[in-house]
Amino acid sequence: DTEVTQTPKHLVMGMTNKKSLKCEQHMGHRAMYWYKQKAKKPPELMFVYSYEKLSINESVPSRFSPECPNSSLLNLHLHALQPEDSALYLCASSQVPRGAINEKLFFGSGTQLSVL
Amino acid sequence: QQPVQSPQAVILREGEDAVINCSSSKALYSVHWYRQKHGEAPVFLMILLKGGEQKGHDKISASFNEKKQQSSLYLTASQLSYSGTYFCGMITQGGSEKLVFGKGTKLTVNP
């Protein structure tokens, strides 16, 4: 199984809602990532978890709250988002943390988020 | 710092060749290439670690000039399936060893 599975595929939420994005992999990878991708732009790194611990936070606003309950699961909790947060949110995993310069990222298909 | 990627877009006929370039203002540890089709996840193509190293993936290959801090992706005899947006990613020396993607090159292969 070489898949990274993300749910839901689409999400529409209001600015006062609380929602969560879920990501799952069963490849035994110990690094997991959240990326944000706006239309026609490259993916931008948000968070990195290394061995279930948060190792990188790219100065992401606190309305985004990541969680890594175990080595296979990664969540992104959303609260009080703004319309400009509308984007494709991609999860990725790799065998070892990104500090290893020759690591291959496996991406999920993403959650397309719309904030109204 | 974001790599500079060119061209922004390329339109080819099936069977034609293309080159996509990526450069950095800083010394590099590695260069990574990904392809993303519309509505899909980015897919890993290859990583280049050493200066002058060339790697291949089917009819897609890449080079890495460490001295010039540049990489090029070569698509030979393009197929319809090559269509998509190609991103180079670079990990620069002296930083936090994070992968930063260029703005992407949209490749369209027509019959």
Side-chain angles (χ1 to χ4, degrees):
Chain A
D1 183 4
T2 58
E3 270 196 358
V4 176
T5 304
Q6 288 188 245
T7 55
K9 294 208 179 298
H10 301 275
L11 180 62
V12 179
M13 60 185 291
M15 289 189 284
T16 58
N17 292 158
K18 283 185 181 181
K19 297 285 184 182
S20 296
L21 309 184
K22 181 180 173 182
C23 174
E24 196 166 1
Q25 58 87 15
H26 296 288
M27 294 178 279
H29 290 174
R30 301 310 298 274
M32 297 186 77
Y33 312 75
W34 281 114
Y35 281 85
K36 174 182 177 180
Q37 186 176 29
K38 291 272 200 180
K40 298 184 180 181
K41 299 289 185 184
E44 292 181 0
L45 183 65
M46 299 175 71
F47 302 104
V48 181
Y49 272 84
S50 169
Y51 299 100
E52 296 91 69
K53 291 187 178 178
L54 184 64
S55 59
I56 294 177
N57 176 341
E58 287 289 284
S59 302
V60 178
S62 60
R63 57 186 184 268
F64 295 91
S65 175
E67 178 197 20
C68 190
N70 59 57
S71 59
S72 299
L73 282 174
L74 185 66
N75 298 319
L76 187 62
H77 303 296
L78 314 172
H79 173 55
L81 294 193
Q82 304 297 310
E84 59 264 29
D85 296 322
S86 297
L88 179 68
Y89 288 84
L90 292 163
C91 173
S93 70
S94 70
Q95 207 161 9
V96 296
R98 232 350 168 166
I101 61 175
N102 60 346
E103 269 301 293
K104 171 182 176 180
L105 289 178
F106 291 78
F107 282 91
S109 297
T111 294
Q112 187 64 55
L113 174 68
S114 297
V115 182
L116 305 178
Chain B
Q1 286 199 342
Q2 188 173 45
V4 178
Q5 196 173 334
S6 64
Q8 286 188 343
V10 183
I11 299 176
L12 300 173
R13 289 201 177 275
E14 213 173 353
E16 292 181 338
D17 302 340
V19 180
I20 300 171
N21 300 303
C22 192
S23 64
S24 170
S25 59
K26 292 189 172 184
L28 298 169
Y29 280 130
S30 59
V31 181
H32 307 238
W33 288 95
Y34 286 79
R35 176 174 64 207
Q36 185 176 27
K37 294 179 180 281
H38 182 68
E40 298 182 10
V43 173
F44 171 84
L45 293 176
M46 63 191 76
I47 290 175
L48 300 106
L49 294 175
K50 295 178 183 178
E53 184 176 13
Q54 289 195 340
K55 289 213 165 184
H57 181 272
D58 197 8
K59 290 182 181 176
I60 301 174
S61 61
S63 63
F64 177 22
N65 187 321
E66 194 175 349
K67 279 187 179 178
K68 291 187 176 180
Q69 296 154 195
Q70 294 174 346
S71 178
S72 294
L73 187 72
Y74 306 95
L75 299 106
T76 306
S78 58
Q79 305 169 16
L80 295 176
S81 61
Y82 286 3
S83 292
T85 300
Y86 289 77
F87 293 104
C88 71
M90 290 181 160
I91 298 183
T92 57
Q93 297 181 27
S96 56
E97 295 186 358
K98 291 180 297 191
L99 184 66
V100 181
F101 289 103
K103 291 186 176 181
T105 296
K106 184 176 181 181
L107 180 75
T108 304
V109 181
N110 294 319

